[in-house]
Amino acid sequence: MGGLEQTFVAETFASNWIAPLGPQVDAFEAEFAAAVGAPYALALSSGTAALHLALLLAGVGPGDEVLVSTLTFSASANPVVYLGARPTFIDSERISWNMDPDLLAAALAARARRSRLPKAVVLVHLYGQSANIAPIQALCGRYGVRLIEDAAEALGASYGARAPGTLGWAGIFSFNGNKIITTSGGGMLVSNDGDMIRHARKLATQAREPAPHYEHAEIGYNYRLSNVLAAIGRGQLRVLDERVAARRRNFDFYRRALGDLPGLEFMPEAPWGRATRWLTCITVQPELLGVDREAIRLALEAEDIEARPVWKPMHLQPVFQDCESVGGAVAADLFERGLCLPSGSSLTEADLTRIVAVIRRTVGG
Ligand SMILES: *Cc1c(COP(=O)(O)O)cnc(C)c1O
């Protein structure tokens, strides 16, 4: 926590406004919208809920297809299945680890020839780095497919002068406990489309019609963020820049301390924007380094230091084994050789020094 969170939470207690919705939620939405440069924002109980509503309002339904980045967390794809639709997974490009625009172009062209276009594209911005949005946005525009950006991991990143998550038809963010800022749990849906956000707001609040009694003309959800958690979010938003700086400092430390090792590479920073380095990710070439990523992970684990493999791509997950994929070798390789190092904003130089020492000892360098 940054410090101001308790002040805002105290306001909710002082006003006895502990219900969902309320003045903290309104303020959090306004401040978040201003921070990312989105006209409309809706605070929700999770990033997953935000993606579910975005897909629903994009018209995704039973039998539809949605194209999704394969290298991601399962929450990018699960809401497609909630709606009875099928995800098809698109491989990454090496320069950003995010969706390869050329593969998306090929997938859309093939579907246009069959007159079976997907309902939406879910574009993930992984590990604090923006995907190459412009060509993907142009493709979605050309084929009339809704672009939904999963920026759950990319708050604080930039794409040119813009924030990833604000260029597509809809964007989602997460304030889960592991993200760069947190409300313990929560999410945000943003869009340029005010009607869409209004409709999402209604659906997220059990779809009440304007009437003195409880009147319902469509199926609703209980997806709104509580006023107390929004108060935490307001405090967190004020330390976002500091958090990004801390994450980038971690990355720079690791690169200075390990960058000389042959066969150990860092996740590239794509030229179109600034990454937050939410997580510092490395890839290992065992032939050059002498050990594989699993040896490094286990050596760290033996010292009670947690590191995790890069996301296992969705096209390799048992739950999605019947889904199509377009390419997949790049993401599979990043999973095979990739490792996320400890990256918390509160890591000290002593912590980082200890982590680096374990890695250097493991590789014998
Ligand atoms: C965390 C995450 C989500 C889900 O957000 P929640 O708030 O945890 O529901 C979605 N997509 C990606 C890429 C994530 O990392």
Side-chain angles (χ1 to χ4, degrees), residues 138-150:
L139 284 163
C140 288
R142 181 176 335 142
Y143 290 102
V145 175
R146 296 280 198 207
L147 176 59
I148 300 171
E149 293 178 74
D150 178 348

Side-chain angles (χ1 to χ4, degrees), residues 20-21 25 29 42-45 201 204-205 222-226:
L21 312 184
V25 174
E29 287 174 348
L42 170 65
L44 294 163
S45 54
R201 194 179 295 279
T205 324
N222 183 6
Y223 275 175
R224 292 308 309 273
L225 187 68
S226 99

Side-chain angles (χ1 to χ4, degrees), residues 31 75 84 157-158 170 176 184 191 235 283 310 325 357:
E31 290 161 8
S158 68
N176 193 32
S184 79
S191 181
T283 49
V310 162
S325 70

Side-chain angles (χ1 to χ4, degrees), residues 73 96-97 125-129 152-155 177-180 243-244 246-252 254 265-269 275-282 306-311 338-345 347 352:
F73 177 51
S96 70
W97 294 18
H125 305 294
L126 211 61
Y127 294 131
Q129 168 147 273
E153 300 181 5
L155 180 60
N178 60 339
K179 301 302 198 286
I180 197 155
R243 294 293 148 88
V244 171
R247 302 276 171 154
R248 286 188 64 96
R249 261 201 312 278
N250 289 339
F251 178 89
D252 290 340
Y254 284 124
E265 282 170 14
F266 288 84
M267 179 180 180
E269 185 167 36
T276 64
R277 303 298 191 179
W278 171 58
L279 299 187
T280 290
C281 304
I282 59 169
E306 186 186 35
R308 290 219 194 136
V310 162
W311 295 123
L339 189 66
C340 307
L341 298 178
S343 300
S345 308
L347 285 172
L352 293 165

Side-chain angles (χ1 to χ4, degrees), residues 26-272:
D26 298 342
F28 186 37
E29 287 174 348
E31 290 161 8
F32 188 91
V36 299
Y40 303 98
L42 170 65
L44 294 163
S45 54
S46 70
T48 309
L51 187 54
H52 186 189
L53 291 179
L55 288 161
L56 179 71
L57 292 173
V60 173
D64 288 333
E65 184 186 39
V66 175
L67 306 183
V68 183
S69 307
T70 192
L71 190 65
T72 187
F73 177 51
S74 64
S76 303
N78 287 338
V80 174
V81 180
Y82 302 165
L83 292 164
R86 303 167 276 118
T88 290
F89 298 109
I90 311 285
D91 203 0
S92 300
E93 56 177 354
R94 296 238 173 234
I95 186 177
S96 70
W97 294 18
N98 288 313
M99 186 184 285
D100 183 332
D102 294 335
L103 290 181
L104 178 66
L108 286 171
R111 282 154 179 77
R113 280 195 297 277
R114 284 184 267 136
S115 301
R116 300 213 42 178
L117 282 166
K119 268 283 162 58
V121 169
V122 175
L123 174 64
V124 181
H125 305 294
L126 211 61
Y127 294 131
Q129 168 147 273
S130 178
N132 191 3
I133 304 172
I136 290 171
Q137 192 176 28
L139 284 163
C140 288
R142 181 176 335 142
Y143 290 102
V145 175
R146 296 280 198 207
L147 176 59
I148 300 171
E149 293 178 74
D150 178 348
E153 300 181 5
L155 180 60
S158 68
Y159 178 78
R162 306 277 300 273
T166 65
L167 286 94
W169 173 70
I172 73 106
F173 296 86
S174 167
F175 314 116
N176 193 32
N178 60 339
K179 301 302 198 286
I180 197 155
I181 64 168
T182 183
T183 58
S184 79
M188 194 73 76
L189 176 64
V190 304
S191 181
N192 301 321
D193 182 342
D195 289 336
M196 187 276 256
I197 293 290
R198 253 188 303 284
H199 196 175
R201 194 179 295 279
K202 175 187 168 200
L203 293 180
T205 324
Q206 306 283 25
R208 276 191 70 184
E209 299 296 332
H213 60 277
Y214 283 86
E215 176 84 4
H216 302 280
E218 56 189 335
I219 296 294
Y221 300 84
N222 183 6
Y223 275 175
R224 292 308 309 273
L225 187 68
S226 99
N227 201 47
V228 181
L229 299 188
I232 299 177
R234 292 183 67 202
Q236 287 275 285
L237 206 49
R238 283 160 176 72
V239 294
L240 174 61
D241 291 347
E242 279 169 43
R243 294 293 148 88
V244 171
R247 302 276 171 154
R248 286 188 64 96
R249 261 201 312 278
N250 289 339
F251 178 89
D252 290 340
F253 187 99
Y254 284 124
R255 191 159 54 186
R256 272 198 311 278
L258 298 168
D260 62 309
L261 292 172
L264 189 152
E265 282 170 14
F266 288 84
M267 179 180 180
E269 185 167 36
W272 49 75

